[in-house]
Amino acid sequence: MWNDIDEEYLDAYIGVLLLAGVYKSSNEATDSLWDASTGRNIFRATMSLQSFRMISRVLRFDNRETREKSDKLAPIRDVWERWVQLLPLMFNPGPEVTVDERFVPFRGKCPFRQYMPSKPGKYGIKILAACDAKTSYAWNLQIYTGKHASGIPEKNQGKRVVLDMTTGLQGHNITCDNFFTSYDLGQELLRWKLTMVGTVKKNKPDLLVEDSAGISEYKNLGVHITRKLDCSDNTMAPYKKGQGRLCFLRRLRSLDVCSQVRSG
């Protein structure tokens, strides 16, 4: 049976959700959080398990009658965007910012649930994130909701994502992988006073490599796009499959610009 709740009780519900995150309880059964022997007292002291489940079942963030039918994120878009707008106000990232995707395992009902067979949890929600490299603070986030309703694949999606995620940054270095990296993206970031470090496939059409035969054994290239738009003034260092990408990118950032490096 439903009982009306006030703002204080709703705040308590949100606090319980946050506390479950603090305890890293994403894979823990809800019953166990409220269990008298194995659970935590603070959950039972805040509200009953029945009340928690009731609020979870009926809570809505939009009006179903007026929502945009073609917008898969419409049920939570308003609250999601308000929260994302607060993220950059709470923290100033350091000089190194990473743009990448985060795959959150999820098998529930969701119109933008993705299937990625290479991931440990094959079904989930893909979130694109710009994070401070030192603290992992999420400075900006986007939820990937799938292809456009028209069914036409988006061109230069990687470039568009990085530019969206780094809007407002200046003087930072952006690190990304080969899905995002392109020379056009590097040029655009330079106009925003940003540099970029990233891996890029060796057969990328916009990548100018003088010694293409010499890198045929390498799967990817690491590219450090720096101050000038001339490709000769950027650092490129091939690396073999299996070489630690994170260590490689750290080493690449430490190289002097305008130098050609061959590693392997």
Side-chain angles (χ1 to χ4, degrees):
M1 180 177 178
W2 173 257
N3 294 316
D4 289 340
I5 63 173
D6 55 18
E7 184 176 346
E8 183 178 0
Y9 203 74
L10 181 59
D11 286 343
Y13 169 81
I14 295 174
V16 165
L17 293 176
L18 293 174
L19 194 59
V22 171
Y23 286 132
K24 303 184 184 301
S25 302
S26 61
N27 295 320
E28 188 174 352
T30 308
D31 286 338
S32 69
L33 296 177
W34 267 263
D35 188 88
S37 57
T38 62
R40 299 173 178 86
N41 293 333
I42 191 169
F43 289 99
R44 296 192 302 276
T46 303
M47 64 178 59
S48 68
L49 177 58
Q50 182 181 3
S51 295
F52 176 81
R53 284 178 167 163
M54 180 66 74
I55 296 173
S56 299
R57 186 161 60 248
V58 303
L59 187 63
R60 298 291 182 271
F61 297 100
D62 78 323
N63 188 332
R64 183 176 293 182
E65 301 299 324
T66 59
R67 74 172 53 156
E68 179 63 45
K69 303 300 181 183
S70 62
D71 184 5
K72 296 179 182 178
L73 198 63
I76 63 166
R77 181 173 293 282
D78 184 49
V79 66
W80 170 265
E81 290 185 346
R82 290 188 185 189
W83 177 61
V84 170
Q85 288 171 4
L86 292 175
L87 295 177
L89 303 180
M90 304 294 182
F91 183 79
N92 291 321
E96 302 290 343
V97 174
T98 299
V99 175
D100 205 349
E101 63 180 41
R102 168 70 190 275
F103 192 70
V104 181
F106 179 72
R107 285 183 172 266
K109 185 178 178 180
C110 179
F112 47 84
R113 187 185 65 180
Q114 304 294 310
Y115 174 66
M116 300 183 72
S118 61
K119 300 292 186 181
K122 302 183 186 304
Y123 293 90
I125 297 172
K126 185 163 75 170
I127 300 177
L128 302 159
C131 299
D132 175 66
K134 184 176 182 180
T135 64
S136 300
Y137 179 86
W139 189 80
N140 197 358
L141 296 169
Q142 282 185 6
I143 295 179
Y144 177 69
T145 56
K147 294 181 180 179
H148 192 270
S150 65
I152 301 175
E154 180 183 359
K155 292 184 178 180
N156 300 318
Q157 183 187 46
K159 176 182 177 181
R160 191 268 306 162
V161 167
V162 174
L163 294 179
D164 284 352
M165 303 298 288
T166 57
T167 299
L169 294 177
Q170 193 173 91
H172 297 77
N173 183 79
I174 310 301
T175 300
C176 49
D177 65 16
N178 59 62
F179 174 77
F180 304 98
T181 307
S182 69
Y183 195 69
D184 286 342
L185 170 62
Q187 289 181 320
E188 189 65 31
L189 290 176
L190 286 170
R191 296 188 186 99
W192 293 10
K193 299 184 188 239
L194 298 168
T195 59
M196 181 182 74
V197 169
T199 55
V200 59
K201 293 186 181 297
K202 64 186 179 184
N203 59 354
K204 194 83 169 182
D206 60 350
L207 182 65
L208 302 177
V209 182
E210 297 177 1
D211 184 17
S212 58
I215 65 166
S216 59
E217 63 180 300
Y218 297 100
K219 180 182 179 182
N220 296 288
L221 290 174
V223 181
H224 185 193
I225 296 182
T226 55
R227 294 173 298 203
K228 297 184 180 180
L229 303 185
D230 185 351
C231 188
S232 63
D233 285 326
N234 301 311
T235 304
M236 293 182 294
Y239 76 106
K240 294 180 180 179
K241 181 179 180 180
Q243 185 175 354
R245 182 174 300 180
L246 181 59
C247 293
F248 168 78
L249 292 176
R250 286 174 176 169
R251 186 172 74 251
L252 184 60
R253 282 199 295 269
S254 69
L255 297 174
D256 293 332
V257 299
C258 307
S259 64
Q260 285 290 99
V261 180
R262 290 291 182 264
S263 63

